Amino acid sequence: MQVGLSRVRWGGVWRNQDFLKLWAGETVSLFGSQVTTLALPLTAVQSFAATPAQMGILSAARFLPFLLLTLVAGVWVDVYRRRPILVGANLGRAFVLALVPLGAVMGWLRMWHLYAVAFGVGALTVLFDLAYQSYVPSLVEREELVEANSKLQTSASAAEVGGPALGGLLVEWLSAPVAVAADALSFLVSAVLLGAIGRPEPRMDAPAQRVPLFRQIGEGLRITFSNPYLRSLAGEAATYNFFETAILALFTLYATRELGLSPAQLGTVMGTGAVGALLGALVAERAARVLGLGRAILASMALACVAPLLIPLVRGPLPVVIALLVAAFFVNGIGLAMSNVHVVSLRQAVTAPHLLGRMNASYRFFVYGAIPLGSLFGGLLGEHLGVRSALLVGAGGLCAALLWVVSSPVPRLRRLPEQA
């Protein structure tokens, strides 16, 4: 039995005050996070003249918690109520980030402090993201999941469009370390809004707390890879991330050295991906109504996977090259945002509420684990084949990611299925 689209109350989440508080809080913090994405590395460059190796460590510190903590955090999210975790994670991120401007003003800020801040924020982000995706289904009706996730994805895309510009202005006006304070403030605002949500959250079953940790982790892995929908989505996402990261590892070198783009032109090209993502998030809900959920997922993934084929194939005068690259990033952004909306909704729909944290943790561990491997693969391939040839291999790998979904039951879905 499936949820009929004829019964979906499109626009219903606008009447859900608790969801609106979650959405507003997440939107504010997403814009703040974009400021830190720019300001924290600039603090390292401007304040400590960081070397390339130090910048690499700073970036790694941010993503290392996704590999170290995700599976354990997924168990916690299924054992404890999620809203207090969300509020606590945001308060924690506000405190950790506030140490950067405080240290800069007081004169004791050092490079290793930035490593610690990046790791701390990354660890709390792991906890927040898992609780956040698991909490949404308890705030909205089942038939409103696509609409709710579409709005949340719209905010994420809008933050990617406007956040870096806001961050640049704040860095120029206030200095990079002090600009980080804007992100700390955004997490405080988000925590207040989350704390104001009035809908009671059911207590998690006490017996789950007595199950050994590794058994609970195994249960999350089992539900992810035994369910045909989740298995195919995880396989596609991991394959996509692997080859996309391989492409991105080489793209800056390719665009500047082989294509002759200036830094400003490069920024413009890459920024169009966020604009496309904003559009994709806005049309995702309608695409599911017109095409059916499964076809909408497949079509959006096809856009995201096929568009990067343009990148290694561009030729001609610089204006033509820029136009083709803009088209590639824009279409890729549309497809990526659309698929994210539907994939998150499908994952939430087929998973029992008490398993959402562990499912999300297992899924993200597998999907995010492909990112560092893809970077290494792209670099090695570029060394041996040349940059353009390596990009072509990466683009072909993205297209191959579609096979996970084409050969699965996902394309046959008309609407969200019932829980497994």
Side-chain angles (χ1 to χ4, degrees), residues 71-111:
L71 293 176
V72 175
V75 174
W76 293 341
V77 166
D78 281 342
V79 170
Y80 302 105
R81 289 180 177 175
R82 284 136 188 183
R83 187 164 68 97
I85 293 176
L86 295 173
V87 173
N90 274 349
L91 290 175
R93 287 191 286 187
F95 172 78
V96 171
L97 287 167
L99 296 175
V100 175
L102 178 63
V105 171
M106 300 295 292
W108 48 256
L109 187 66
R110 299 292 183 269
M111 190 67 197

Side-chain angles (χ1 to χ4, degrees), residues 200-211:
E201 184 181 359
R203 184 180 296 277
M204 299 301 169
D205 293 335
Q209 301 182 43
R210 297 195 293 268
V211 178

Side-chain angles (χ1 to χ4, degrees), residues 165-176 178-179:
L166 175 62
L169 289 174
L170 290 175
V171 167
E172 287 192 12
W173 291 343
L174 304 174
S175 81
V178 179

Side-chain angles (χ1 to χ4, degrees), residues 100-285:
V100 175
L102 178 63
V105 171
M106 300 295 292
W108 48 256
L109 187 66
R110 299 292 183 269
M111 190 67 197
W112 71 267
H113 292 136
L114 299 185
Y115 298 152
V117 166
F119 183 87
V121 170
L124 291 165
T125 298
V126 168
L127 197 58
F128 181 91
D129 286 353
L130 292 175
Y132 163 70
Q133 289 191 348
S134 303
Y135 184 55
V136 170
S138 68
L139 278 185
V140 302
E141 300 299 326
R142 179 182 179 81
E143 62 268 24
E144 294 171 347
L145 279 174
V146 172
E147 182 190 358
N149 285 312
S150 177
K151 287 174 169 51
L152 292 165
Q153 181 63 48
T154 299
S155 292
S157 302
E160 290 178 3
V161 174
L166 175 62
L169 289 174
L170 290 175
V171 167
E172 287 192 12
W173 291 343
L174 304 174
S175 81
V178 179
V180 176
D183 193 13
L185 180 61
S186 76
F187 284 123
L188 284 177
V189 172
S190 181
V192 170
L193 288 168
L194 287 167
I197 292 175
R199 179 175 297 193
E201 184 181 359
R203 184 180 296 277
M204 299 301 169
D205 293 335
Q209 301 182 43
R210 297 195 293 268
V211 178
L213 176 64
F214 287 107
R215 183 176 172 185
Q216 293 187 66
I217 291 174
E219 192 171 14
L221 292 169
R222 185 164 55 254
I223 188 63
T224 300
F225 295 106
S226 64
N227 185 290
Y229 299 118
L230 298 177
R231 182 174 60 246
S232 61
L233 296 175
E236 190 277 340
T239 306
Y240 182 92
N241 280 355
F242 180 88
F243 287 105
E244 183 198 36
T245 309
I247 291 172
L248 293 177
L250 299 172
F251 180 72
T252 299
L253 185 65
Y254 170 70
T256 54
R257 291 189 183 177
E258 296 197 18
L259 301 181
L261 270 65
S262 68
Q265 291 167 335
L266 176 62
T268 299
V269 166
M270 298 187 73
T272 56
V275 178
L278 178 58
L279 176 60
L282 291 172
V283 303
E285 186 182 344

